[in-house]
């Protein structure tokens, strides 16, 4: 079996999910070829892979490829994949720089092979995908995006370094106008430091929290909906799924909800209706569906947008980038423009956001949630540790919190989590570490552990 593993190198290192994809290919016993579209500086980090039992390493590097967005990257990789030959293609689910998770689904679509997204486990020829407990058999040809769980092996002591083949565009022969920044359907207009989540914290005692929650829940919900209406509107915007409707209404003079759910049917409806923009919800399904449809149509796609506005007839899409530390404004140069939009969890008035510091305490917090009529939310670290389901994950790669009170317990307050708390009127933080970042993103904070918080509620 020939496995082609597509990887990206950033900051001199292989992207973490891509490293897992290489390891999975090796564990499958496949003949692994590593393929990377990167600047020439990636050659050395890629060369290290030749000591691991990888058959070939090919670096696609040419000045005309510089600035390629996800769709153009997928087109260049698809052209190379056809030249090299493959049975399976493996990609990391996403890169930590872009966090778009688009290249894998787009590449599968362009090559016309099935997509198996978010591989969590592999054993005896069977794969387990995220959100699907029942393992499925490894098909003879497919593209797998790899989530985690496969730490890259170390080289054997006596293993030797091999060579990296460098292919420039004379090998692939793509028209330069269709490569790199020039050919890319999306363009970054501006990027700025993100200040999302900053709040002024008032110190309180843990015993005061039950009374504080009682007071705060009497107030009217203050923070408005997630997408404020744009003054200027586009004539026609399609929403693929109800969760994208509020964003579509913010920027569309006329909004239509598409009933179609399969990618080919959605693409056909989009071609027939010729809208200005198509919006998908940035749910797990929407994140897989949007790049497939974008690749079918050849449209520019911006992932995980947190803001939308129309200026001079153009849709400006705002999204967090570089792990939430910056915010970028992006435009699509195609008609339609396409985007996945971050959805809010329309939870209860109170959301209890649990972090890794509460691992093993889920039953107690379920009981507290029931007592308060609250819903549970979680950090990615807790989800990754198996302490909460993915649908509860709040943050850059989860959903946005929308509630009157967000009670953050046992979570450190990483920017990737707090960037999704704008929709909470008040944030109350409970953490024993007085230096925890969450205190700079909370309105009220107490230096206490989760057990003390639970005791405060059961003692009233
Ligand atoms: C590209 C990218 C995307 C990401 N997307 C997301 C995302 O969408 N959502 C998200 O949440 N994260 C996301 N992350 C991960 C994020 O960077 C953090 O790693 C994560 O949010 C940390 O979760 P945590 O606060 O639960 O865990 P930790 O950072 O480990 O914090 C645990 C906290 O628990 C406290 N604690 C320990 N014991 C107790 C106790 N008994 N009682 C109370 N407190 C206790 C500790 O003081 C500590 O502050 C992403 C990361 C990357 C790189």
């Amino acid at each position: 079996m020939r496995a082609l593993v597509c990887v990206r190198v950033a900051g001199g290192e292989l992207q973490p999910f891509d490293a897992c994809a290489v390891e999975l290919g090796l564990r499958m016993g496949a003949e692994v070829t590593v393929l990377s579209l990167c600047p020439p500086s990636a050659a050395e980090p890629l060369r290290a892979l030749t000591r691991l039992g990888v058959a070939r390493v090919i670096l696609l590097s040419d000045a005309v490829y510089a600035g390629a967005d996800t769709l153009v990257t997928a087109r260049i990789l698809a052209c190379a994949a056809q030249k090299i030959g493959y049975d399976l293609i493996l990609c990391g689910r996403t890169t930590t720089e872009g966090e778009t998770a688009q290249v894998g689904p787009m590449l599968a679509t362009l090559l016309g092979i099935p997509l198996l997204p978010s591989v969590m486990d592999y054993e005896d020829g069977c794969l387990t995908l995220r959100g699907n407990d029942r393992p499925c058999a490894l098909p003879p040809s497919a593209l797998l995006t790899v989530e985690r769980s496969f730490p890259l092996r170390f080289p054997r002591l006596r293993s030797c370094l091999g060579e990296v083949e460098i292919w420039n565009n004379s090998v692939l022969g793509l028209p330069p106008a269709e490569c790199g920044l020039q050919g890319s359907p999306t363009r970054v207009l501006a990027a700025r430091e993100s200040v999302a989540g900053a709040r002024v914290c008032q110190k309180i005692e843990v015993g005061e929290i039950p009374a504080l929650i009682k007071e705060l829940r009497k107030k009217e919900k203050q923070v408005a909906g997630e997408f404020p209406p744009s003054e200027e509107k586009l004539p026609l915007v399609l929403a693929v799924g109800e969760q994208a409707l509020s964003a579509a209404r913010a920027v569309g003079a006329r909004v239509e909800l598409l009933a179609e759910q399969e990618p080919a049917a959605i693409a056909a409806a989009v071609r027939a209706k010729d809208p200005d923009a198509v919006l998908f919800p940035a749910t797990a399904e929407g994140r897989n569906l949007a790049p497939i449809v974008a690749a079918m149509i050849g449209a520019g796609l911006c992932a995980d947008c947190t803001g939308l506005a129309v200026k001079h007839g153009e849709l400006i899409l705002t999204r967090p980038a570089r792990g939430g530390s910056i915010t970028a404004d992006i435009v699509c140069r195609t008609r339609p423009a396409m985007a996945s939009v971050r959805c809010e969890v329309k939870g209860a008035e109170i959301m209890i956001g649990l972090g890794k510091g509460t691992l093993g305490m889920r039953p107690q917090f379920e009981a507290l949630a029931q007592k308060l009529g609250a819903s549970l939310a979680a950090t990615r670290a807790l989800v990754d540790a198996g302490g909460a389901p993915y649908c509860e994950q709040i943050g850059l790669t989860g959903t946005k919190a929308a509630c009157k009170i967000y009670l953050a317990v046992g979570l450190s307050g990483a920017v990737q989590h707090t960037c999704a708390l704008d929709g909470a009127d008040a944030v109350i933080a409970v953490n024993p570490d007085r230096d925890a970042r969450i205190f700079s993103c909370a309105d009220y904070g107490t230096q206490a552990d989760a057990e003390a918080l639970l005791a405060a509620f059961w003692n009233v």
Side-chain angles (χ1 to χ4, degrees), residues 120-423:
M120 306 293 284
D121 206 359
Y122 171 77
E123 225 182 310
D124 299 333
C126 287
L127 299 164
T128 308
L129 307 182
R130 189 194 263 277
N132 202 338
D133 290 341
R134 208 178 297 156
C136 62
L138 182 65
S141 178
L143 186 146
L144 279 47
T145 66
V146 180
E147 179 92 345
R148 57 154 199 260
S149 316
F150 309 103
L152 188 58
R153 64 193 59 195
F154 290 105
R156 293 225 176 90
L157 269 179
R158 294 191 179 184
S159 57
C160 296
L161 273 175
E163 287 308 314
V164 174
E165 299 170 44
I166 301 187
W167 289 11
N168 61 21
N169 196 42
S170 64
V171 181
L172 297 187
L174 289 163
E178 291 173 20
C179 296
L181 189 63
Q182 212 187 341
S184 292
T186 57
R187 182 138 310 167
V188 178
L189 287 186
R192 58 196 167 275
E193 205 176 310
S194 174
V195 288
R199 297 179 190 232
V200 179
C201 185
Q202 182 186 330
K203 281 192 180 163
I204 53 166
E205 294 300 321
V206 68
E208 294 177 68
I209 292 179
L212 174 65
I213 286 183
K214 226 176 191 174
E215 274 314 298
L216 291 173
R217 77 187 309 172
K218 281 185 202 154
K219 294 189 180 175
E220 285 293 304
K221 173 91 180 85
Q222 283 167 13
V223 181
E226 57 195 309
F227 293 103
S230 168
E231 274 179 31
E232 203 185 318
K233 300 260 179 305
L234 296 171
L236 175 61
V237 176
L238 300 185
V240 185
E242 286 189 9
Q243 287 154 294
L245 268 176
S246 96
R249 288 190 186 116
V251 288
R254 209 175 102 224
V255 169
E256 276 188 39
L257 176 65
L258 277 193
E260 289 79 359
Q261 287 176 358
E262 292 303 315
I266 297 170
V270 169
R271 284 194 194 100
K273 290 175 190 286
D274 187 27
D276 298 274
V278 184
L279 303 181
F280 294 77
T283 53
E285 300 76 38
R287 282 196 182 106
N288 286 329
L289 196 56
I292 295 174
V293 177
M296 285 175 166
I297 294 175
L301 171 66
C302 182
D304 284 340
C305 297
T306 51
L308 305 168
V310 183
K311 283 188 190 142
H312 310 298
E314 197 166 43
L315 182 61
I316 315 285
L317 301 150
T318 303
R319 77 175 300 258
R322 290 211 203 114
S325 59
I326 63 165
T327 300
D329 291 336
I330 293 167
V331 288
C332 297
R333 297 186 302 154
T334 51
R335 181 186 174 86
M338 286 184 44
S340 63
V341 290
R342 189 83 60 81
C343 318
E344 283 182 353
V345 180
K346 293 268 184 272
E349 275 184 349
I350 306 174
M351 292 176 80
I352 306 177
L354 300 177
K356 211 172 162 192
T358 66
L359 190 62
M361 301 172 78
R362 181 143 181 123
Q364 292 93 311
F365 278 99
E366 277 176 349
L368 179 62
Q370 200 171 13
K371 181 178 166 103
L372 296 176
S375 56
L376 292 181
T379 64
R380 172 152 147 186
L382 186 66
V383 171
D384 284 353
Y390 175 63
C391 59
E392 288 179 4
Q393 184 173 311
I394 299 291
L396 188 67
T397 43
T399 45
K400 279 175 81 171
C403 53
K404 279 189 188 173
I405 304 159
Y406 191 80
L407 179 57
V409 193
L411 62 87
S412 56
V415 65
Q416 294 89 358
H417 187 78
T418 56
C419 68
L421 301 185
D422 295 358

